[in-house]
Amino acid sequence: MITFAERVKGVLYGTAFGDAMGAVVEKMPYGEIKAKYGRVETTRTKWWKADWPEEARLGRMRGQGIVTDDTLMTLALMNVYCTERRHLDAYDLACEFVKEIAFRPRYIPELGKEALILDRLFYPEKHIFNRHVLANCEPREGGYGNMVNCGAPCTSPRSAS
């Protein structure tokens, strides 16, 4: 019988492996992916921008198993679960999750250095910080005004518990 802890570990490993494999082709059209890679089947794949100058890569490096902000955000959320040890709500996002992304340095593989997750995020994810810390909004209204995005947590009265 697989334990709950083993299932959670599987989710985290699956997230990291999928992220590392998908990161090398992110933002490439299907035809270009097919022409350059055929299929990405390993974490040892070279990133299509790896030979670009550092400034053109925005100081980042991907490929060869390097995970992105997607995995970092997942791990930050898991840290909040480990801290709170219960179902999370909008207030936890405003407090502990913001601390995880904006005030607790960690190693950022894409940047190759220790930094804040916030340094690696884009506008929709930074919106969390802006609304909760700079604007001091009511936590259940933290997602108001944000753009639609694949990864940024959204809090609103409908999603808050």
Side-chain angles (χ1 to χ4, degrees), residues 116-154:
L116 299 172
I117 294 175
L118 192 65
D119 294 340
R120 173 51 195 85
L121 300 179
F122 293 105
Y123 299 114
E125 293 87 2
K126 287 181 178 179
H127 185 82
I128 297 164
F129 175 80
N130 292 337
R131 290 284 290 154
H132 292 295
V133 177
L134 302 180
N136 197 26
C137 74
E138 207 292 331
R140 293 174 295 172
E141 297 176 359
Y144 288 179
N146 205 353
M147 64 181 73
V148 176
N149 180 271
C150 63
C154 176

Side-chain angles (χ1 to χ4, degrees), residues 61-126:
M61 180 53 76
R62 292 182 175 183
Q64 308 303 323
I66 294 174
V67 298
T68 73
D69 61 308
D70 297 338
T71 297
L72 296 173
M73 294 281 275
T74 300
L75 293 173
L77 184 60
M78 292 304 299
N79 287 340
V80 178
Y81 273 112
C82 289
T83 297
E84 299 299 333
R85 306 189 66 77
R86 60 172 168 70
H87 178 78
L88 302 179
D89 61 22
Y91 295 89
D92 299 315
L93 184 68
C95 183
E96 282 304 313
F97 191 76
V98 166
K99 289 177 189 173
E100 284 292 320
I101 67 170
F103 301 111
R104 295 181 180 142
R106 68 204 60 234
Y107 183 74
I108 310 293
E110 280 184 291
L111 302 177
K113 64 181 182 180
E114 189 170 280
L116 299 172
I117 294 175
L118 192 65
D119 294 340
R120 173 51 195 85
L121 300 179
F122 293 105
Y123 299 114
E125 293 87 2
K126 287 181 178 179

Side-chain angles (χ1 to χ4, degrees), residues 29-46:
Y30 172 76
E32 287 182 30
I33 295 170
K34 186 115 173 104
K36 183 164 182 64
Y37 296 103
R39 287 174 49 144
V40 176
E41 297 179 335
T42 176
T43 57
R44 295 191 175 128
T45 305
K46 183 177 176 179

